[in-house]
Amino acid sequence: MILTVTLNTALDLTYRVPSLRPHTSHRVSEVVERPGGKGVNVARVLAALGHEVTVTGFAGGPTGQVLRERLAGAPGPVDALVPVAGATRRTIAVVDERSGDTTQLNEPGPQIAPAEWGAFLDRYEELLAGASAVALCGSLPPGVPVGAYATLVRTARALGVPVLLDTSGEPLRRGVAARPDVIKPNADELAELTGSHEPSRATQDARRRGARAVVASLGADGLLAVTPEGRWRAAPPARVHGNPTGAGDAAVAGLLSALVENLPWPARLTRAVALATATVHAPTAGDHDPALYAELLQRVAVTGEFSAA
């Protein structure tokens, strides 16, 4: 079983409008509602790849109830969310059909009480006992300690469970120091962590700060990985146009699934880029076309060297 942690789960709402214009009313052409938060999105892709996956984190209030009902009503991830008194947040994505651009509005999330955090830690350790790998994903809701991910990384490592960390800011800085197996920042998050805007230098610096492997997302340019086994770049076959929402989570799912399957790093990166690209091309945010994904697996370009990073 692969475990994904989403401390700040969300009910994702996607609105499609013919053209998004400030200061005007809009007629919405389509509404899509689904369980969300980065780790939930990762779990959905893992399940589509055929992996057994469990989601944990927090859920509460009417929004949290809808989220859990949607999880229960669809095949795929197993719900191991911890109930809280506060209401789960909503995220709203507005897709401009004319330009293809997406505008995102993210609520902060519920206030987590110390007792609720303690209950989660107990649940997390129980779930790790049956996990082959764990992904720690996304922002922290109010009330959760800023060093939460560092605590979760150390717990996983103590139990011998490989851990991938995908967050930003101070939670990432502290989490890296706990020595996760993989981190997957985007270019901005990597620059904030290291102070360098040069991706090659920044990924190496992030490794020196504690991460065993660093896989940096460079947007349309693909992925840059610096690992103990070598350094690689992986890129889609052509410049990608579409909705990037969920592409980073798809890449995490690709990396994690390939990790538990013991695939070499070039194959991990190929899968991650193919999934991310297929997600950008999908009409619904966070989905991917399996046929396009299969085609892209044959076309992703990976270059690099098998030397110690």
Side-chain angles (χ1 to χ4, degrees):
M1 176 268 287
I2 298 176
L3 179 64
T4 72
V5 174
T6 312
L7 296 176
N8 210 3
T9 56
L11 187 65
D12 289 344
L13 301 173
T14 301
Y15 296 145
R16 300 185 71 88
V17 298
S19 178
L20 182 61
R21 302 186 306 277
H23 316 300
T24 65
S25 297
H26 296 79
R27 188 173 298 277
V28 176
S29 59
E30 181 186 18
V31 180
V32 176
E33 181 181 81
R34 68 194 310 176
K38 292 181 70 64
V40 174
N41 297 336
V42 170
R44 186 183 300 112
V45 179
L46 287 168
L49 294 173
H51 286 273
E52 180 185 348
V53 58
T54 296
V55 297
T56 190
F58 298 113
T63 310
Q65 182 61 34
V66 173
L67 184 151
R68 302 189 78 166
E69 289 172 355
R70 291 298 180 93
L71 279 175
V78 174
D79 177 358
L81 295 167
V82 175
V84 293
T88 295
R89 66 186 178 133
R90 295 164 299 177
T91 67
I92 299 172
V94 183
V95 179
D96 184 325
E97 295 176 333
R98 177 181 55 81
S99 68
D101 292 338
T102 300
T103 299
Q104 193 85 16
L105 303 173
N106 296 330
E107 296 178 357
Q111 180 75 32
I112 304 300
E116 293 168 336
W117 173 239
F120 169 79
L121 291 175
D122 291 340
R123 175 69 63 86
Y124 176 68
E125 190 163 351
E126 291 171 1
L127 292 167
L128 282 175
S132 56
V134 58
L136 309 175
C137 303
S139 62
L140 302 180
V144 171
V146 70
Y149 283 134
T151 298
L152 301 184
V153 169
R154 285 192 291 266
T155 301
R157 287 181 54 83
L159 295 173
V161 179
V163 55
L164 184 154
L165 177 62
D166 183 17
T167 188
S168 61
E170 186 65 12
L172 174 60
R173 189 184 71 80
R174 297 197 186 195
V176 167
R179 304 187 65 80
D181 293 272
V182 185
I183 63 171
K184 195 213 70 65
N186 62 33
D188 290 339
E189 292 162 351
L190 188 62
E192 183 181 9
L193 173 67
T194 66
S196 174
H197 290 272
E198 201 288 306
S200 182
R201 180 181 304 167
T203 49
Q204 294 180 69
D205 185 22
R207 277 207 72 214
R208 285 192 291 268
R209 291 168 184 261
R212 179 172 172 80
V214 180
V215 181
S217 175
L218 305 179
D221 293 326
L223 299 174
L224 170 64
V226 180
T227 81
E229 291 78 21
R231 309 176 189 184
W232 291 273
R233 286 182 180 266
R239 178 69 64 167
V240 180
H241 300 283
N243 183 356
T245 303
D249 301 332
V252 169
L255 293 170
L256 204 59
S257 63
L259 182 155
V260 301
E261 295 171 28
N262 295 313
L263 298 182
W265 270 105
R268 298 183 197 185
L269 299 171
T270 296
R271 181 178 292 183
V273 170
L275 279 168
T277 305
T279 299
V280 171
H281 281 291
T284 301
D287 283 344
H288 75 276
D289 181 343
L292 178 58
Y293 163 59
E295 176 190 339
L296 288 165
L297 282 175
Q298 310 303 317
R299 300 173 58 204
V300 170
V302 180
T303 58
E305 56 185 27
F306 292 85
S307 62

PDB file of all heavy atoms in Angstrom, residues 226-250:
ATOM      1  N   VAL A 226      18.586  15.308  -9.405  1.00  0.00           N
ATOM      2  CA  VAL A 226      19.923  15.078  -8.871  1.00  0.00           C
ATOM      3  C   VAL A 226      19.776  14.043  -7.770  1.00  0.00           C
ATOM      4  O   VAL A 226      19.085  14.274  -6.774  1.00  0.00           O
ATOM      5  CB  VAL A 226      20.559  16.379  -8.334  1.00  0.00           C
ATOM      6  CG1 VAL A 226      21.947  16.093  -7.781  1.00  0.00           C
ATOM      7  CG2 VAL A 226      20.643  17.430  -9.425  1.00  0.00           C
ATOM      8  N   THR A 227      20.409  12.884  -7.956  1.00  0.00           N
ATOM      9  CA  THR A 227      20.223  11.732  -7.080  1.00  0.00           C
ATOM     10  C   THR A 227      21.573  11.121  -6.732  1.00  0.00           C
ATOM     11  O   THR A 227      22.594  11.458  -7.352  1.00  0.00           O
ATOM     12  CB  THR A 227      19.350  10.661  -7.781  1.00  0.00           C
ATOM     13  OG1 THR A 227      20.178   9.902  -8.681  1.00  0.00           O
ATOM     14  CG2 THR A 227      18.203  11.288  -8.567  1.00  0.00           C
ATOM     15  N   PRO A 228      21.608  10.176  -5.775  1.00  0.00           N
ATOM     16  CA  PRO A 228      22.879   9.496  -5.504  1.00  0.00           C
ATOM     17  C   PRO A 228      23.387   8.689  -6.691  1.00  0.00           C
ATOM     18  O   PRO A 228      24.588   8.433  -6.802  1.00  0.00           O
ATOM     19  CB  PRO A 228      22.525   8.568  -4.333  1.00  0.00           C
ATOM     20  CG  PRO A 228      21.338   9.184  -3.691  1.00  0.00           C
ATOM     21  CD  PRO A 228      20.566   9.807  -4.809  1.00  0.00           C
ATOM     22  N   GLU A 229      22.474   8.278  -7.601  1.00  0.00           N
ATOM     23  CA  GLU A 229      22.862   7.459  -8.741  1.00  0.00           C
ATOM     24  C   GLU A 229      23.263   8.271  -9.969  1.00  0.00           C
ATOM     25  O   GLU A 229      23.847   7.726 -10.904  1.00  0.00           O
ATOM     26  CB  GLU A 229      21.712   6.513  -9.122  1.00  0.00           C
ATOM     27  CG  GLU A 229      21.437   5.421  -8.107  1.00  0.00           C
ATOM     28  CD  GLU A 229      20.652   5.909  -6.909  1.00  0.00           C
ATOM     29  OE1 GLU A 229      19.971   6.964  -7.029  1.00  0.00           O
ATOM     30  OE2 GLU A 229      20.719   5.274  -5.849  1.00  0.00           O
ATOM     31  N   GLY A 230      22.923   9.549 -10.003  1.00  0.00           N
ATOM     32  CA  GLY A 230      23.270  10.352 -11.160  1.00  0.00           C
ATOM     33  C   GLY A 230      22.387  11.568 -11.305  1.00  0.00           C
ATOM     34  O   GLY A 230      21.568  11.865 -10.436  1.00  0.00           O
ATOM     35  N   ARG A 231      22.561  12.269 -12.432  1.00  0.00           N
ATOM     36  CA  ARG A 231      21.805  13.484 -12.728  1.00  0.00           C
ATOM     37  C   ARG A 231      21.139  13.308 -14.090  1.00  0.00           C
ATOM     38  O   ARG A 231      21.771  12.854 -15.035  1.00  0.00           O
ATOM     39  CB  ARG A 231      22.734  14.700 -12.777  1.00  0.00           C
ATOM     40  CG  ARG A 231      23.642  14.841 -11.580  1.00  0.00           C
ATOM     41  CD  ARG A 231      24.594  16.010 -11.769  1.00  0.00           C
ATOM     42  NE  ARG A 231      25.610  16.034 -10.726  1.00  0.00           N
ATOM     43  CZ  ARG A 231      26.528  16.972 -10.592  1.00  0.00           C
ATOM     44  NH1 ARG A 231      26.579  17.977 -11.469  1.00  0.00           N
ATOM     45  NH2 ARG A 231      27.411  16.925  -9.618  1.00  0.00           N
ATOM     46  N   TRP A 232      19.877  13.727 -14.164  1.00  0.00           N
ATOM     47  CA  TRP A 232      19.144  13.570 -15.415  1.00  0.00           C
ATOM     48  C   TRP A 232      18.214  14.759 -15.643  1.00  0.00           C
ATOM     49  O   TRP A 232      17.751  15.386 -14.700  1.00  0.00           O
ATOM     50  CB  TRP A 232      18.289  12.298 -15.397  1.00  0.00           C
ATOM     51  CG  TRP A 232      19.074  11.034 -15.420  1.00  0.00           C
ATOM     52  CD1 TRP A 232      19.534  10.361 -16.523  1.00  0.00           C
ATOM     53  CD2 TRP A 232      19.506  10.273 -14.286  1.00  0.00           C
ATOM     54  NE1 TRP A 232      20.214   9.234 -16.137  1.00  0.00           N
ATOM     55  CE2 TRP A 232      20.221   9.155 -14.783  1.00  0.00           C
ATOM     56  CE3 TRP A 232      19.356  10.424 -12.897  1.00  0.00           C
ATOM     57  CZ2 TRP A 232      20.774   8.199 -13.949  1.00  0.00           C
ATOM     58  CZ3 TRP A 232      19.919   9.476 -12.059  1.00  0.00           C
ATOM     59  CH2 TRP A 232      20.625   8.379 -12.589  1.00  0.00           C
ATOM     60  N   ARG A 233      17.941  14.999 -16.918  1.00  0.00           N
ATOM     61  CA  ARG A 233      16.866  15.895 -17.338  1.00  0.00           C
ATOM     62  C   ARG A 233      15.884  15.076 -18.159  1.00  0.00           C
ATOM     63  O   ARG A 233      16.294  14.251 -18.990  1.00  0.00           O
ATOM     64  CB  ARG A 233      17.392  17.067 -18.173  1.00  0.00           C
ATOM     65  CG  ARG A 233      18.118  18.136 -17.371  1.00  0.00           C
ATOM     66  CD  ARG A 233      18.568  19.277 -18.282  1.00  0.00           C
ATOM     67  NE  ARG A 233      19.261  20.310 -17.540  1.00  0.00           N
ATOM     68  CZ  ARG A 233      18.681  21.398 -17.045  1.00  0.00           C
ATOM     69  NH1 ARG A 233      17.374  21.578 -17.223  1.00  0.00           N
ATOM     70  NH2 ARG A 233      19.374  22.307 -16.382  1.00  0.00           N
ATOM     71  N   ALA A 234      14.604  15.311 -17.937  1.00  0.00           N
ATOM     72  CA  ALA A 234      13.554  14.643 -18.703  1.00  0.00           C
ATOM     73  C   ALA A 234      12.590  15.702 -19.201  1.00  0.00           C
ATOM     74  O   ALA A 234      12.145  16.559 -18.425  1.00  0.00           O
ATOM     75  CB  ALA A 234      12.823  13.616 -17.847  1.00  0.00           C
ATOM     76  N   ALA A 235      12.257  15.649 -20.492  1.00  0.00           N
ATOM     77  CA  ALA A 235      11.429  16.693 -21.095  1.00  0.00           C
ATOM     78  C   ALA A 235      10.365  16.066 -21.986  1.00  0.00           C
ATOM     79  O   ALA A 235      10.591  15.025 -22.606  1.00  0.00           O
ATOM     80  CB  ALA A 235      12.285  17.647 -21.913  1.00  0.00           C
ATOM     81  N   PRO A 236       9.185  16.716 -22.070  1.00  0.00           N
ATOM     82  CA  PRO A 236       8.157  16.241 -22.997  1.00  0.00           C
ATOM     83  C   PRO A 236       8.616  16.433 -24.430  1.00  0.00           C
ATOM     84  O   PRO A 236       9.530  17.223 -24.705  1.00  0.00           O
ATOM     85  CB  PRO A 236       6.948  17.122 -22.667  1.00  0.00           C
ATOM     86  CG  PRO A 236       7.526  18.348 -22.049  1.00  0.00           C
ATOM     87  CD  PRO A 236       8.762  17.911 -21.325  1.00  0.00           C
ATOM     88  N   PRO A 237       7.995  15.703 -25.373  1.00  0.00           N
ATOM     89  CA  PRO A 237       8.451  15.771 -26.765  1.00  0.00           C
ATOM     90  C   PRO A 237       8.207  17.110 -27.439  1.00  0.00           C
ATOM     91  O   PRO A 237       8.830  17.419 -28.446  1.00  0.00           O
ATOM     92  CB  PRO A 237       7.654  14.657 -27.455  1.00  0.00           C
ATOM     93  CG  PRO A 237       6.464  14.451 -26.577  1.00  0.00           C
ATOM     94  CD  PRO A 237       6.925  14.722 -25.188  1.00  0.00           C
ATOM     95  N   ALA A 238       7.292  17.914 -26.901  1.00  0.00           N
ATOM     96  CA  ALA A 238       6.987  19.220 -27.494  1.00  0.00           C
ATOM     97  C   ALA A 238       6.474  20.144 -26.405  1.00  0.00           C
ATOM     98  O   ALA A 238       6.087  19.700 -25.321  1.00  0.00           O
ATOM     99  CB  ALA A 238       5.944  19.079 -28.611  1.00  0.00           C
ATOM    100  N   ARG A 239       6.503  21.431 -26.669  1.00  0.00           N
ATOM    101  CA  ARG A 239       5.986  22.426 -25.724  1.00  0.00           C
ATOM    102  C   ARG A 239       4.531  22.138 -25.426  1.00  0.00           C
ATOM    103  O   ARG A 239       3.733  21.877 -26.316  1.00  0.00           O
ATOM    104  CB  ARG A 239       6.144  23.823 -26.308  1.00  0.00           C
ATOM    105  CG  ARG A 239       5.620  24.959 -25.461  1.00  0.00           C
ATOM    106  CD  ARG A 239       6.437  25.177 -24.198  1.00  0.00           C
ATOM    107  NE  ARG A 239       7.800  25.591 -24.445  1.00  0.00           N
ATOM    108  CZ  ARG A 239       8.615  26.077 -23.502  1.00  0.00           C
ATOM    109  NH1 ARG A 239       8.207  26.168 -22.261  1.00  0.00           N
ATOM    110  NH2 ARG A 239       9.841  26.416 -23.812  1.00  0.00           N
ATOM    111  N   VAL A 240       4.177  22.151 -24.134  1.00  0.00           N
ATOM    112  CA  VAL A 240       2.844  21.738 -23.701  1.00  0.00           C
ATOM    113  C   VAL A 240       1.939  22.953 -23.561  1.00  0.00           C
ATOM    114  O   VAL A 240       2.322  23.977 -23.006  1.00  0.00           O
ATOM    115  CB  VAL A 240       2.929  21.003 -22.339  1.00  0.00           C
ATOM    116  CG1 VAL A 240       1.551  20.568 -21.884  1.00  0.00           C
ATOM    117  CG2 VAL A 240       3.856  19.810 -22.449  1.00  0.00           C
ATOM    118  N   HIS A 241       0.713  22.836 -24.067  1.00  0.00           N
ATOM    119  CA  HIS A 241      -0.299  23.874 -23.912  1.00  0.00           C
ATOM    120  C   HIS A 241      -1.544  23.245 -23.298  1.00  0.00           C
ATOM    121  O   HIS A 241      -1.958  22.152 -23.693  1.00  0.00           O
ATOM    122  CB  HIS A 241      -0.639  24.513 -25.260  1.00  0.00           C
ATOM    123  CG  HIS A 241       0.526  25.166 -25.929  1.00  0.00           C
ATOM    124  ND1 HIS A 241       1.014  26.393 -25.540  1.00  0.00           N
ATOM    125  CD2 HIS A 241       1.319  24.744 -26.938  1.00  0.00           C
ATOM    126  CE1 HIS A 241       2.051  26.706 -26.289  1.00  0.00           C
ATOM    127  NE2 HIS A 241       2.256  25.721 -27.150  1.00  0.00           N
ATOM    128  N   GLY A 242      -2.136  23.923 -22.315  1.00  0.00           N
ATOM    129  CA  GLY A 242      -3.323  23.387 -21.664  1.00  0.00           C
ATOM    130  C   GLY A 242      -3.400  23.857 -20.232  1.00  0.00           C
ATOM    131  O   GLY A 242      -2.803  24.865 -19.844  1.00  0.00           O
ATOM    132  N   ASN A 243      -4.134  23.113 -19.403  1.00  0.00           N
ATOM    133  CA  ASN A 243      -4.358  23.460 -18.008  1.00  0.00           C
ATOM    134  C   ASN A 243      -3.359  22.713 -17.131  1.00  0.00           C
ATOM    135  O   ASN A 243      -3.435  21.488 -17.025  1.00  0.00           O
ATOM    136  CB  ASN A 243      -5.794  23.100 -17.615  1.00  0.00           C
ATOM    137  CG  ASN A 243      -6.129  23.503 -16.191  1.00  0.00           C
ATOM    138  OD1 ASN A 243      -5.268  23.997 -15.458  1.00  0.00           O
ATOM    139  ND2 ASN A 243      -7.362  23.299 -15.782  1.00  0.00           N
ATOM    140  N   PRO A 244      -2.408  23.419 -16.489  1.00  0.00           N
ATOM    141  CA  PRO A 244      -1.383  22.732 -15.709  1.00  0.00           C
ATOM    142  C   PRO A 244      -1.850  22.264 -14.333  1.00  0.00           C
ATOM    143  O   PRO A 244      -1.076  21.621 -13.614  1.00  0.00           O
ATOM    144  CB  PRO A 244      -0.293  23.802 -15.572  1.00  0.00           C
ATOM    145  CG  PRO A 244      -1.057  25.092 -15.580  1.00  0.00           C
ATOM    146  CD  PRO A 244      -2.208  24.882 -16.522  1.00  0.00           C
ATOM    147  N   THR A 245      -3.092  22.576 -13.944  1.00  0.00           N
ATOM    148  CA  THR A 245      -3.579  22.192 -12.626  1.00  0.00           C
ATOM    149  C   THR A 245      -3.488  20.675 -12.455  1.00  0.00           C
ATOM    150  O   THR A 245      -4.027  19.920 -13.262  1.00  0.00           O
ATOM    151  CB  THR A 245      -5.034  22.638 -12.433  1.00  0.00           C
ATOM    152  OG1 THR A 245      -5.125  24.042 -12.637  1.00  0.00           O
ATOM    153  CG2 THR A 245      -5.526  22.289 -11.036  1.00  0.00           C
ATOM    154  N   GLY A 246      -2.804  20.238 -11.417  1.00  0.00           N
ATOM    155  CA  GLY A 246      -2.681  18.818 -11.135  1.00  0.00           C
ATOM    156  C   GLY A 246      -1.499  18.141 -11.795  1.00  0.00           C
ATOM    157  O   GLY A 246      -1.211  16.973 -11.497  1.00  0.00           O
ATOM    158  N   ALA A 247      -0.790  18.841 -12.680  1.00  0.00           N
ATOM    159  CA  ALA A 247       0.334  18.212 -13.375  1.00  0.00           C
ATOM    160  C   ALA A 247       1.460  17.853 -12.404  1.00  0.00           C
ATOM    161  O   ALA A 247       2.072  16.775 -12.519  1.00  0.00           O
ATOM    162  CB  ALA A 247       0.850  19.135 -14.471  1.00  0.00           C
ATOM    163  N   GLY A 248       1.735  18.728 -11.451  1.00  0.00           N
ATOM    164  CA  GLY A 248       2.773  18.426 -10.467  1.00  0.00           C
ATOM    165  C   GLY A 248       2.414  17.225  -9.611  1.00  0.00           C
ATOM    166  O   GLY A 248       3.282  16.410  -9.263  1.00  0.00           O
ATOM    167  N   ASP A 249       1.134  17.097  -9.269  1.00  0.00           N
ATOM    168  CA  ASP A 249       0.697  15.947  -8.472  1.00  0.00           C
ATOM    169  C   ASP A 249       0.803  14.668  -9.290  1.00  0.00           C
ATOM    170  O   ASP A 249       1.146  13.604  -8.757  1.00  0.00           O
ATOM    171  CB  ASP A 249      -0.745  16.161  -8.008  1.00  0.00           C
ATOM    172  CG  ASP A 249      -0.904  17.426  -7.177  1.00  0.00           C
ATOM    173  OD1 ASP A 249       0.078  17.833  -6.530  1.00  0.00           O
ATOM    174  OD2 ASP A 249      -1.999  18.016  -7.200  1.00  0.00           O
ATOM    175  N   ALA A 250       0.498  14.737 -10.579  1.00  0.00           N
ATOM    176  CA  ALA A 250       0.660  13.578 -11.448  1.00  0.00           C
ATOM    177  C   ALA A 250       2.125  13.158 -11.512  1.00  0.00           C
ATOM    178  O   ALA A 250       2.446  11.958 -11.515  1.00  0.00           O
ATOM    179  CB  ALA A 250       0.119  13.877 -12.842  1.00  0.00           C
TER     180      ALA A 250
END
